[in-house]
């Protein structure tokens, strides 16, 4: 049974929250970097993370899972395996061997580009977007725009961590995408 879509599912995730490390002033002064690598180091906690993320969605509501490089690959691959769903890789520039399409986007501390194979989806396929964290929403919005530009239907995005004060989840919601996360860190 899945949990209805919502902003953040904080109930029962304090055990996972305690494993997310904060690195101050990374990648530049003033940034409080929420590092999920410490959560991923704990095998049972990582399993609980994936199980809880899966519980947040209805597997019948999407056809494919798109993961954003790099930590989003880890989460989306585990979910794809457990749900027996195909996985789309949204990659950094120059990493895909076949013909690809791309989108440039702004980050809270710079700019970047993500790419996907031109033939990764068929128009009309429903895609769940997955990443480890949503902050300003630049990367997630780029992923949505890239997928939709190729004909995908993107209505949900799933994250381990939300930094709600940075507004990314609100941007996704304004674009017609329901964002859901396991935990939030206010004030970042």
């Amino acid at each position: 049974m899945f949990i209805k879509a919502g902003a953040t599912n904080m109930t029962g995730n304090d055990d996972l929250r305690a494993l997310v490390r904060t690195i101050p002033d990374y990648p530049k002064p003033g940034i409080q970097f929420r590092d999920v690598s410490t959560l991923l180091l704990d095998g049972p906690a990582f399993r609980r993370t994936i199980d809880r993320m899966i519980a947040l969605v209805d597997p019948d509501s999407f056809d494919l899972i798109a993961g954003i490089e790099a930590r989003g690959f880890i989460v989306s691959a585990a979910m794809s395996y457990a749900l027996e769903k195909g996985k789309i890789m949204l990659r950094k520039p120059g990493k895909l061997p076949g013909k690809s399409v791309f989108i440039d986007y702004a980050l809270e501390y710079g700019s970047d580009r993500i790419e996907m194979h031109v033939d990764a989806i068929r128009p009309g396929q429903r895609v769940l977007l997955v990443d480890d964290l949503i902050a300003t929403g630049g990367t997630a919005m780029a992923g949505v725009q890239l997928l939709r530009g190729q004909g995908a239907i993107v209505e949900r995005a799933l994250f381990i961590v939300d930094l709600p004060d940075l507004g990314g989840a609100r941007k996704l919601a304004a674009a017609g995408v329901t964002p859901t996360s396991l935990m939030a860190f206010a004030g970042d």
Side-chain angles (χ1 to χ4, degrees):
M1 179 70 64
F2 71 96
I3 298 171
K4 188 176 177 184
T8 300
N9 176 32
M10 287 293 295
T11 307
N13 292 318
D14 288 341
D15 59 328
L16 303 178
R17 181 184 172 87
L19 295 171
V20 176
R21 169 175 57 181
T22 300
I23 301 174
D25 299 320
Y26 181 83
K28 69 178 195 177
I31 302 287
Q32 296 283 15
F33 189 85
R34 302 301 180 165
D35 181 19
V36 299
S37 67
T38 47
L39 171 63
L40 301 177
L41 281 169
D42 185 315
F46 177 56
R47 182 181 185 124
R48 289 192 307 273
T49 299
I50 298 304
D51 289 346
R52 291 175 193 177
M53 291 181 81
I54 288 170
L56 294 172
V57 296
D58 176 2
D60 293 331
S61 69
F62 56 92
D63 305 305
L64 298 166
I65 299 174
I68 300 172
E69 189 170 352
R71 289 174 302 274
F73 278 9
I74 298 165
V75 177
S76 61
M79 290 182 67
S80 294
Y81 172 80
L83 294 172
E84 298 182 0
K85 299 281 185 175
K87 182 188 171 315
I88 300 169
M89 297 181 293
L90 303 182
R91 301 228 44 197
K92 295 181 181 188
K95 302 288 184 176
L96 295 171
K99 186 175 179 186
S100 62
V101 292
F102 67 89
I103 188 166
D104 293 316
Y105 63 98
L107 293 167
E108 60 270 27
Y109 47 84
S111 64
D112 211 342
R113 171 181 284 186
I114 55 172
E115 302 178 345
M116 65 181 266
H117 280 126
V118 170
D119 59 356
I121 59 167
R122 292 184 314 276
Q125 283 188 298
R126 301 165 300 157
V127 179
L128 172 67
L129 182 69
V130 176
D131 204 358
D132 67 317
L133 181 139
I134 181 143
T136 64
T139 305
M141 284 299 303
V144 169
Q145 292 167 352
L146 184 59
L147 291 161
R148 285 179 173 171
Q150 295 302 299
I153 299 167
V154 185
E155 298 174 329
R156 279 300 285 279
L158 194 55
F159 308 92
I160 297 172
V161 174
D162 180 16
L163 304 179
D165 294 344
L166 297 181
R170 288 188 301 275
K171 287 179 188 172
L172 283 175
V177 178
T178 301
T180 308
S181 61
L182 290 180
M183 64 190 81
F185 288 90
D188 296 318

